PDB file of all heavy atoms in Angstrom:
ATOM      1  N   SER A 249       9.015   9.016  -8.444  1.00 93.00           N
ATOM      2  CA  SER A 249       7.817   8.480  -7.795  1.00 93.00           C
ATOM      3  C   SER A 249       7.630   6.999  -8.087  1.00 93.00           C
ATOM      4  O   SER A 249       7.984   6.510  -9.153  1.00 93.00           O
ATOM      5  CB  SER A 249       6.570   9.220  -8.271  1.00 93.00           C
ATOM      6  OG  SER A 249       6.646  10.581  -7.948  1.00 93.00           O
ATOM      7  N   ALA A 250       7.049   6.318  -7.114  1.00 92.00           N
ATOM      8  CA  ALA A 250       6.660   4.921  -7.284  1.00 92.00           C
ATOM      9  C   ALA A 250       5.202   4.804  -6.851  1.00 92.00           C
ATOM     10  O   ALA A 250       4.831   5.241  -5.766  1.00 92.00           O
ATOM     11  CB  ALA A 250       7.539   4.003  -6.454  1.00 92.00           C
ATOM     12  N   ASP A 251       4.381   4.248  -7.713  1.00 94.00           N
ATOM     13  CA  ASP A 251       2.962   4.065  -7.427  1.00 94.00           C
ATOM     14  C   ASP A 251       2.739   2.598  -7.059  1.00 94.00           C
ATOM     15  O   ASP A 251       3.031   1.702  -7.854  1.00 94.00           O
ATOM     16  CB  ASP A 251       2.123   4.445  -8.645  1.00 94.00           C
ATOM     17  CG  ASP A 251       0.645   4.392  -8.367  1.00 94.00           C
ATOM     18  OD1 ASP A 251       0.236   4.714  -7.236  1.00 94.00           O
ATOM     19  OD2 ASP A 251      -0.119   4.028  -9.285  1.00 94.00           O
ATOM     20  N   PHE A 252       2.274   2.364  -5.830  1.00 94.00           N
ATOM     21  CA  PHE A 252       2.006   1.025  -5.335  1.00 94.00           C
ATOM     22  C   PHE A 252       0.499   0.781  -5.407  1.00 94.00           C
ATOM     23  O   PHE A 252      -0.268   1.450  -4.718  1.00 94.00           O
ATOM     24  CB  PHE A 252       2.496   0.865  -3.894  1.00 94.00           C
ATOM     25  CG  PHE A 252       3.986   0.954  -3.768  1.00 94.00           C
ATOM     26  CD1 PHE A 252       4.619   2.181  -3.621  1.00 94.00           C
ATOM     27  CD2 PHE A 252       4.755  -0.187  -3.807  1.00 94.00           C
ATOM     28  CE1 PHE A 252       5.998   2.266  -3.499  1.00 94.00           C
ATOM     29  CE2 PHE A 252       6.135  -0.119  -3.696  1.00 94.00           C
ATOM     30  CZ  PHE A 252       6.751   1.117  -3.544  1.00 94.00           C
ATOM     31  N   ARG A 253       0.084  -0.158  -6.234  1.00 95.00           N
ATOM     32  CA  ARG A 253      -1.334  -0.485  -6.402  1.00 95.00           C
ATOM     33  C   ARG A 253      -1.597  -1.862  -5.801  1.00 95.00           C
ATOM     34  O   ARG A 253      -1.022  -2.857  -6.243  1.00 95.00           O
ATOM     35  CB  ARG A 253      -1.707  -0.493  -7.875  1.00 95.00           C
ATOM     36  CG  ARG A 253      -1.483   0.850  -8.530  1.00 95.00           C
ATOM     37  CD  ARG A 253      -1.821   0.802  -9.995  1.00 95.00           C
ATOM     38  NE  ARG A 253      -1.336   2.007 -10.650  1.00 95.00           N
ATOM     39  CZ  ARG A 253      -1.030   2.068 -11.931  1.00 95.00           C
ATOM     40  NH1 ARG A 253      -1.173   1.010 -12.694  1.00 95.00           N
ATOM     41  NH2 ARG A 253      -0.585   3.188 -12.448  1.00 95.00           N
ATOM     42  N   LYS A 254      -2.466  -1.882  -4.811  1.00 95.00           N
ATOM     43  CA  LYS A 254      -2.758  -3.148  -4.135  1.00 95.00           C
ATOM     44  C   LYS A 254      -3.487  -4.096  -5.073  1.00 95.00           C
ATOM     45  O   LYS A 254      -4.479  -3.738  -5.681  1.00 95.00           O
ATOM     46  CB  LYS A 254      -3.602  -2.896  -2.886  1.00 95.00           C
ATOM     47  CG  LYS A 254      -3.923  -4.162  -2.115  1.00 95.00           C
ATOM     48  CD  LYS A 254      -4.668  -3.873  -0.838  1.00 95.00           C
ATOM     49  CE  LYS A 254      -6.083  -3.480  -1.170  1.00 95.00           C
ATOM     50  NZ  LYS A 254      -6.939  -3.334  -0.008  1.00 95.00           N
ATOM     51  N   VAL A 255      -2.984  -5.312  -5.157  1.00 96.00           N
ATOM     52  CA  VAL A 255      -3.656  -6.390  -5.873  1.00 96.00           C
ATOM     53  C   VAL A 255      -4.430  -7.209  -4.853  1.00 96.00           C
ATOM     54  O   VAL A 255      -5.611  -7.475  -5.017  1.00 96.00           O
ATOM     55  CB  VAL A 255      -2.652  -7.273  -6.641  1.00 96.00           C
ATOM     56  CG1 VAL A 255      -3.349  -8.455  -7.289  1.00 96.00           C
ATOM     57  CG2 VAL A 255      -1.890  -6.443  -7.660  1.00 96.00           C
ATOM     58  N   GLU A 256      -3.721  -7.563  -3.754  1.00 95.00           N
ATOM     59  CA  GLU A 256      -4.354  -8.320  -2.675  1.00 95.00           C
ATOM     60  C   GLU A 256      -3.489  -8.165  -1.430  1.00 95.00           C
ATOM     61  O   GLU A 256      -2.273  -8.298  -1.490  1.00 95.00           O
ATOM     62  CB  GLU A 256      -4.450  -9.798  -3.054  1.00 95.00           C
ATOM     63  CG  GLU A 256      -5.128 -10.644  -2.015  1.00 95.00           C
ATOM     64  CD  GLU A 256      -5.266 -12.091  -2.471  1.00 95.00           C
ATOM     65  OE1 GLU A 256      -4.725 -12.462  -3.517  1.00 95.00           O
ATOM     66  OE2 GLU A 256      -5.924 -12.838  -1.751  1.00 95.00           O
ATOM     67  N   ASP A 257      -4.123  -7.864  -0.302  1.00 92.00           N
ATOM     68  CA  ASP A 257      -3.396  -7.778   0.965  1.00 92.00           C
ATOM     69  C   ASP A 257      -4.393  -7.907   2.104  1.00 92.00           C
ATOM     70  O   ASP A 257      -5.246  -7.049   2.288  1.00 92.00           O
ATOM     71  CB  ASP A 257      -2.629  -6.460   1.079  1.00 92.00           C
ATOM     72  CG  ASP A 257      -1.553  -6.498   2.144  1.00 92.00           C
ATOM     73  OD1 ASP A 257      -1.598  -7.394   3.016  1.00 92.00           O
ATOM     74  OD2 ASP A 257      -0.662  -5.646   2.111  1.00 92.00           O
ATOM     75  N   GLU A 258      -4.294  -8.983   2.862  1.00 87.00           N
ATOM     76  CA  GLU A 258      -5.186  -9.222   3.992  1.00 87.00           C
ATOM     77  C   GLU A 258      -4.794  -8.417   5.224  1.00 87.00           C
ATOM     78  O   GLU A 258      -5.575  -8.290   6.158  1.00 87.00           O
ATOM     79  CB  GLU A 258      -5.206 -10.719   4.337  1.00 87.00           C
ATOM     80  CG  GLU A 258      -5.774 -11.589   3.234  1.00 87.00           C
ATOM     81  CD  GLU A 258      -7.221 -11.251   2.918  1.00 87.00           C
ATOM     82  OE1 GLU A 258      -8.014 -11.001   3.849  1.00 87.00           O
ATOM     83  OE2 GLU A 258      -7.563 -11.220   1.727  1.00 87.00           O
ATOM     84  N   ASN A 259      -3.578  -7.865   5.226  1.00 83.00           N
ATOM     85  CA  ASN A 259      -3.130  -7.053   6.354  1.00 83.00           C
ATOM     86  C   ASN A 259      -3.650  -5.630   6.149  1.00 83.00           C
ATOM     87  O   ASN A 259      -3.066  -4.834   5.424  1.00 83.00           O
ATOM     88  CB  ASN A 259      -1.605  -7.070   6.453  1.00 83.00           C
ATOM     89  CG  ASN A 259      -1.094  -6.290   7.637  1.00 83.00           C
ATOM     90  OD1 ASN A 259      -1.661  -5.285   8.026  1.00 83.00           O
ATOM     91  ND2 ASN A 259      -0.008  -6.759   8.210  1.00 83.00           N
ATOM     92  N   ARG A 260      -4.762  -5.294   6.795  1.00 82.00           N
ATOM     93  CA  ARG A 260      -5.394  -3.986   6.594  1.00 82.00           C
ATOM     94  C   ARG A 260      -4.499  -2.849   7.051  1.00 82.00           C
ATOM     95  O   ARG A 260      -4.488  -1.783   6.449  1.00 82.00           O
ATOM     96  CB  ARG A 260      -6.742  -3.935   7.300  1.00 82.00           C
ATOM     97  CG  ARG A 260      -7.771  -4.854   6.653  1.00 82.00           C
ATOM     98  CD  ARG A 260      -9.125  -4.708   7.314  1.00 82.00           C
ATOM     99  NE  ARG A 260      -9.549  -3.327   7.421  1.00 82.00           N
ATOM    100  CZ  ARG A 260     -10.274  -2.681   6.507  1.00 82.00           C
ATOM    101  NH1 ARG A 260     -10.632  -3.304   5.421  1.00 82.00           N
ATOM    102  NH2 ARG A 260     -10.626  -1.429   6.694  1.00 82.00           N
ATOM    103  N   TRP A 261      -3.760  -3.045   8.141  1.00 79.00           N
ATOM    104  CA  TRP A 261      -2.868  -1.990   8.636  1.00 79.00           C
ATOM    105  C   TRP A 261      -1.872  -1.621   7.547  1.00 79.00           C
ATOM    106  O   TRP A 261      -1.674  -0.464   7.233  1.00 79.00           O
ATOM    107  CB  TRP A 261      -2.125  -2.473   9.884  1.00 79.00           C
ATOM    108  CG  TRP A 261      -1.382  -1.394  10.595  1.00 79.00           C
ATOM    109  CD1 TRP A 261      -1.807  -0.702  11.690  1.00 79.00           C
ATOM    110  CD2 TRP A 261      -0.082  -0.871  10.280  1.00 79.00           C
ATOM    111  NE1 TRP A 261      -0.856   0.219  12.073  1.00 79.00           N
ATOM    112  CE2 TRP A 261       0.216   0.129  11.213  1.00 79.00           C
ATOM    113  CE3 TRP A 261       0.851  -1.147   9.298  1.00 79.00           C
ATOM    114  CZ2 TRP A 261       1.397   0.850  11.204  1.00 79.00           C
ATOM    115  CZ3 TRP A 261       2.029  -0.422   9.271  1.00 79.00           C
ATOM    116  CH2 TRP A 261       2.293   0.556  10.218  1.00 79.00           C
ATOM    117  N   ARG A 262      -1.245  -2.616   6.955  1.00 81.00           N
ATOM    118  CA  ARG A 262      -0.253  -2.377   5.899  1.00 81.00           C
ATOM    119  C   ARG A 262      -0.924  -1.817   4.651  1.00 81.00           C
ATOM    120  O   ARG A 262      -0.443  -0.848   4.059  1.00 81.00           O
ATOM    121  CB  ARG A 262       0.484  -3.679   5.593  1.00 81.00           C
ATOM    122  CG  ARG A 262       1.587  -3.527   4.560  1.00 81.00           C
ATOM    123  CD  ARG A 262       2.356  -4.814   4.353  1.00 81.00           C
ATOM    124  NE  ARG A 262       1.462  -5.900   3.955  1.00 81.00           N
ATOM    125  CZ  ARG A 262       1.691  -7.176   4.231  1.00 81.00           C
ATOM    126  NH1 ARG A 262       2.753  -7.542   4.897  1.00 81.00           N
ATOM    127  NH2 ARG A 262       0.838  -8.099   3.837  1.00 81.00           N
ATOM    128  N   ALA A 263      -2.029  -2.397   4.256  1.00 84.00           N
ATOM    129  CA  ALA A 263      -2.705  -1.966   3.031  1.00 84.00           C
ATOM    130  C   ALA A 263      -3.167  -0.513   3.119  1.00 84.00           C
ATOM    131  O   ALA A 263      -3.049   0.238   2.155  1.00 84.00           O
ATOM    132  CB  ALA A 263      -3.895  -2.876   2.740  1.00 84.00           C
ATOM    133  N   ASP A 264      -3.672  -0.101   4.264  1.00 84.00           N
ATOM    134  CA  ASP A 264      -4.149   1.274   4.433  1.00 84.00           C
ATOM    135  C   ASP A 264      -3.021   2.286   4.341  1.00 84.00           C
ATOM    136  O   ASP A 264      -3.248   3.444   4.013  1.00 84.00           O
ATOM    137  CB  ASP A 264      -4.853   1.445   5.777  1.00 84.00           C
ATOM    138  CG  ASP A 264      -6.201   0.765   5.826  1.00 84.00           C
ATOM    139  OD1 ASP A 264      -6.713   0.364   4.758  1.00 84.00           O
ATOM    140  OD2 ASP A 264      -6.744   0.629   6.935  1.00 84.00           O
ATOM    141  N   ARG A 265      -1.797   1.889   4.643  1.00 82.00           N
ATOM    142  CA  ARG A 265      -0.678   2.821   4.679  1.00 82.00           C
ATOM    143  C   ARG A 265       0.270   2.694   3.498  1.00 82.00           C
ATOM    144  O   ARG A 265       1.032   3.598   3.208  1.00 82.00           O
ATOM    145  CB  ARG A 265       0.106   2.627   5.978  1.00 82.00           C
ATOM    146  CG  ARG A 265      -0.673   3.111   7.163  1.00 82.00           C
ATOM    147  CD  ARG A 265      -0.154   2.530   8.461  1.00 82.00           C
ATOM    148  NE  ARG A 265      -0.886   3.035   9.604  1.00 82.00           N
ATOM    149  CZ  ARG A 265      -2.057   2.568  10.003  1.00 82.00           C
ATOM    150  NH1 ARG A 265      -2.631   1.587   9.347  1.00 82.00           N
ATOM    151  NH2 ARG A 265      -2.657   3.078  11.057  1.00 82.00           N
ATOM    152  N   PHE A 266       0.262   1.577   2.811  1.00 83.00           N
ATOM    153  CA  PHE A 266       1.265   1.304   1.792  1.00 83.00           C
ATOM    154  C   PHE A 266       0.813   1.704   0.388  1.00 83.00           C
ATOM    155  O   PHE A 266       1.592   2.215  -0.392  1.00 83.00           O
ATOM    156  CB  PHE A 266       1.622  -0.187   1.828  1.00 83.00           C
ATOM    157  CG  PHE A 266       2.942  -0.492   1.197  1.00 83.00           C
ATOM    158  CD1 PHE A 266       4.113  -0.240   1.876  1.00 83.00           C
ATOM    159  CD2 PHE A 266       3.009  -1.033  -0.071  1.00 83.00           C
ATOM    160  CE1 PHE A 266       5.340  -0.511   1.304  1.00 83.00           C
ATOM    161  CE2 PHE A 266       4.227  -1.314  -0.659  1.00 83.00           C
ATOM    162  CZ  PHE A 266       5.393  -1.054   0.031  1.00 83.00           C
ATOM    163  N   GLU A 267      -0.463   1.472   0.095  1.00 90.00           N
ATOM    164  CA  GLU A 267      -0.961   1.732  -1.255  1.00 90.00           C
ATOM    165  C   GLU A 267      -0.944   3.226  -1.554  1.00 90.00           C
ATOM    166  O   GLU A 267      -1.261   4.050  -0.710  1.00 90.00           O
ATOM    167  CB  GLU A 267      -2.382   1.192  -1.403  1.00 90.00           C
ATOM    168  CG  GLU A 267      -2.917   1.313  -2.811  1.00 90.00           C
ATOM    169  CD  GLU A 267      -4.261   0.654  -2.975  1.00 90.00           C
ATOM    170  OE1 GLU A 267      -5.033   0.588  -2.017  1.00 90.00           O
ATOM    171  OE2 GLU A 267      -4.522   0.190  -4.074  1.00 90.00           O
ATOM    172  N   GLY A 268      -0.532   3.570  -2.766  1.00 92.00           N
ATOM    173  CA  GLY A 268      -0.526   4.962  -3.192  1.00 92.00           C
ATOM    174  C   GLY A 268       0.798   5.334  -3.826  1.00 92.00           C
ATOM    175  O   GLY A 268       1.653   4.493  -4.104  1.00 92.00           O
ATOM    176  N   THR A 269       0.982   6.624  -4.038  1.00 93.00           N
ATOM    177  CA  THR A 269       2.196   7.127  -4.680  1.00 93.00           C
ATOM    178  C   THR A 269       3.191   7.591  -3.627  1.00 93.00           C
ATOM    179  O   THR A 269       2.833   8.358  -2.725  1.00 93.00           O
ATOM    180  CB  THR A 269       1.867   8.296  -5.630  1.00 93.00           C
ATOM    181  OG1 THR A 269       0.942   7.823  -6.616  1.00 93.00           O
ATOM    182  CG2 THR A 269       3.110   8.814  -6.309  1.00 93.00           C
ATOM    183  N   TRP A 270       4.392   7.103  -3.737  1.00 89.00           N
ATOM    184  CA  TRP A 270       5.494   7.485  -2.860  1.00 89.00           C
ATOM    185  C   TRP A 270       6.496   8.260  -3.714  1.00 89.00           C
ATOM    186  O   TRP A 270       6.818   7.861  -4.819  1.00 89.00           O
ATOM    187  CB  TRP A 270       6.165   6.248  -2.285  1.00 89.00           C
ATOM    188  CG  TRP A 270       5.297   5.472  -1.339  1.00 89.00           C
ATOM    189  CD1 TRP A 270       4.058   4.937  -1.583  1.00 89.00           C
ATOM    190  CD2 TRP A 270       5.599   5.143   0.012  1.00 89.00           C
ATOM    191  NE1 TRP A 270       3.590   4.292  -0.486  1.00 89.00           N
ATOM    192  CE2 TRP A 270       4.523   4.396   0.527  1.00 89.00           C
ATOM    193  CE3 TRP A 270       6.684   5.392   0.839  1.00 89.00           C
ATOM    194  CZ2 TRP A 270       4.494   3.923   1.808  1.00 89.00           C
ATOM    195  CZ3 TRP A 270       6.657   4.900   2.132  1.00 89.00           C
ATOM    196  CH2 TRP A 270       5.576   4.187   2.613  1.00 89.00           C
ATOM    197  N   THR A 271       6.989   9.374  -3.177  1.00 90.00           N
ATOM    198  CA  THR A 271       7.915  10.226  -3.908  1.00 90.00           C
ATOM    199  C   THR A 271       9.194  10.428  -3.123  1.00 90.00           C
ATOM    200  O   THR A 271       9.134  10.684  -1.917  1.00 90.00           O
ATOM    201  CB  THR A 271       7.275  11.592  -4.208  1.00 90.00           C
ATOM    202  OG1 THR A 271       6.059  11.385  -4.915  1.00 90.00           O
ATOM    203  CG2 THR A 271       8.186  12.466  -5.032  1.00 90.00           C
ATOM    204  N   SER A 272      10.306  10.325  -3.802  1.00 80.00           N
ATOM    205  CA  SER A 272      11.609  10.564  -3.180  1.00 80.00           C
ATOM    206  C   SER A 272      11.855  12.057  -3.074  1.00 80.00           C
ATOM    207  O   SER A 272      11.513  12.827  -3.985  1.00 80.00           O
ATOM    208  CB  SER A 272      12.718   9.919  -4.019  1.00 80.00           C
ATOM    209  OG  SER A 272      13.966  10.335  -3.556  1.00 80.00           O
TER     210      SER A 272
END
């Protein structure tokens, strides 16, 4: 697993979908 924690992202489309835990 990789946990992506947003620090800063003005692109709401990307931020809404990218942040969180991704599992292989």
Side-chain angles (χ1 to χ4, degrees):
S249 299
D251 185 35
F252 294 86
R253 299 178 192 154
K254 181 176 73 173
V255 175
E256 182 177 7
D257 197 343
E258 296 298 319
N259 182 326
R260 292 184 50 91
W261 190 98
R262 183 176 57 209
D264 288 347
R265 290 161 178 81
F266 201 78
E267 185 174 30
T269 301
W270 293 57
T271 304
S272 170

